[in-house]
Amino acid sequence: MNCCVLLFLGSQTVNKVIPISKYLLGTMAGGAADCTYWMRVLNRQCRMYELRNRERITVSAASKLLSNMLYGYKGSGISIGSMIAGYDKRGPGLYVIDNDGMRVAGNCFSIGSGSPYAFGVLDTEYRWDLTDKEAYELARRAIYHATMRDPYSGGNVSVYHIKETGWVKIETQDVSDLFYKDRGIPVTA
């Protein structure tokens, strides 16, 4: 099954997955204020596109909007790294955009300070034929292992599934619960 697996690392308290529309999600890494501001601007621009054109914006076009906006501020000190993930008439789409406006399409990304550790898990275990359940578990495991190595990552693991009908939040789980589960220690409420 071809689908987008949205994997994200970051602050222990800030919600780093931001709904842009029913079919689009954005993630943020970097300065919380910069990321929140630019995701709101993108949300508004995507909504304006939909109202003007009477159709959903594509994932590619939404990521290009963000890329173009950020490019105009290249070198100004903005701190943002983002993934735009969604589903449109072309199928699933996933793009990463940085604060200089660089934009790259791909099938699997991790963003944030813990991403090198997450890629250790993803590069080893990611494959095209993952079932939904396997993909959710892989995302959880990648973030969990990143949080064990990176002091700036942690808090919660949020897993989303982006489908033709829109995105669905699968779960949010506390990383400490995953830690105890990994070590076979019962978690008490």
Side-chain angles (χ1 to χ4, degrees), residues 48-61:
M48 291 300 292
Y49 177 92
E50 291 172 359
L51 291 170
R52 286 185 185 129
N53 297 290
R54 295 190 175 124
E55 68 176 0
R56 290 191 335 234
I57 191 167
T58 63
V59 182
S60 176

Side-chain angles (χ1 to χ4, degrees), residues 39-138:
M39 286 295 125
R40 281 183 171 171
V41 171
L42 179 61
N43 181 306
R44 186 178 64 234
Q45 292 295 324
C46 290
R47 183 67 181 132
M48 291 300 292
Y49 177 92
E50 291 172 359
L51 291 170
R52 286 185 185 129
N53 297 290
R54 295 190 175 124
E55 68 176 0
R56 290 191 335 234
I57 191 167
T58 63
V59 182
S60 176
S63 68
K64 188 66 172 177
L65 275 173
L66 181 60
S67 173
N68 288 343
M69 290 185 287
L70 292 173
Y71 183 79
Y73 291 90
K74 185 176 182 174
S76 67
I78 291 175
S79 175
I80 182 173
S82 181
M83 288 187 287
I84 303 298
Y87 205 102
D88 59 33
K89 58 189 170 193
R90 298 178 198 159
L94 181 62
Y95 293 82
V96 66
I97 300 101
D98 75 2
N99 41 264
D100 291 332
M102 182 206 66
R103 174 179 162 260
V104 178
N107 297 315
C108 183
F109 290 113
S110 176
I111 204 163
S113 59
S115 62
Y117 306 108
F119 273 123
V121 174
L122 292 172
D123 288 344
T124 304
E125 300 181 34
Y126 178 78
R127 62 182 201 282
W128 275 100
D129 62 345
L130 289 171
T131 65
D132 292 349
K133 191 173 182 177
E134 290 172 328
Y136 306 153
E137 183 58 33
L138 177 59

Side-chain angles (χ1 to χ4, degrees), residues 5-56:
V5 175
L6 187 58
L7 170 63
F8 185 75
L9 309 175
S11 163
Q12 296 186 10
T13 57
V14 175
N15 183 12
K16 300 281 194 136
V17 179
I18 302 166
I20 297 168
S21 73
K22 181 180 175 190
Y23 300 92
L24 287 171
L25 289 172
T27 68
M28 59 182 198
D34 288 340
C35 294
T36 301
Y37 173 77
W38 287 106
M39 286 295 125
R40 281 183 171 171
V41 171
L42 179 61
N43 181 306
R44 186 178 64 234
Q45 292 295 324
C46 290
R47 183 67 181 132
M48 291 300 292
Y49 177 92
E50 291 172 359
L51 291 170
R52 286 185 185 129
N53 297 290
R54 295 190 175 124
E55 68 176 0
R56 290 191 335 234

